[in-house]
């Protein structure tokens, strides 16, 4: 759930203009210790997971925190 929350926060930051280079953000998240190297960063995680899996994970995790695990509306723009 932690990776999902970070990935959703990154997607929302991108949608708000706070992130302009998703590849650089992926590298920074891994180097900064926010994301495990095997996942490749939050945007790579989102792309590898796919929309259907993300929907299922968000639905399950929303029991913990419905706001934190709300599926970002910008995923289509990120080509997820």
């Amino acid at each position: 759930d932690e990776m999902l929350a970070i990935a959703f926060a990154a997607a929302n930051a991108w949608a708000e203009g706070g992130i302009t280079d998703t590849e650089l953000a992926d590298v920074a998240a891994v180097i900064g210790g926010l994301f495990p190297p095997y996942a490749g960063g939050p945007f790579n995680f989102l792309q590898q997971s796919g929309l259907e899996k993300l929907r299922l994970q968000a639905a399950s995790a929303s029991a913990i925190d419905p706001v934190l695990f709300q599926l970002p509306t910008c995923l289509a723009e990120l080509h997820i």
Side-chain angles (χ1 to χ4, degrees):
D1 290 345
E2 184 177 321
M3 288 196 310
L4 186 65
I6 293 169
F8 282 3
N12 288 325
W14 175 85
E16 294 169 3
I19 295 173
T20 56
D21 186 333
T22 58
E23 291 178 3
L24 183 60
D26 277 342
V27 171
V30 171
I31 291 173
L34 295 174
F35 233 78
Y38 68 85
F43 294 99
N44 191 51
F45 170 79
L46 291 171
Q47 289 176 338
Q48 287 182 355
S49 294
L51 190 54
E52 189 56 36
K53 183 177 179 183
L54 291 169
R55 280 190 182 134
L56 292 172
Q57 288 179 313
S60 174
S62 67
I64 299 168
D65 188 327
V67 175
L68 184 63
F69 293 105
Q70 182 176 1
L71 195 68
T73 58
C74 65
L75 293 181
E77 295 173 57
L78 285 167
H79 306 288
I80 305 300

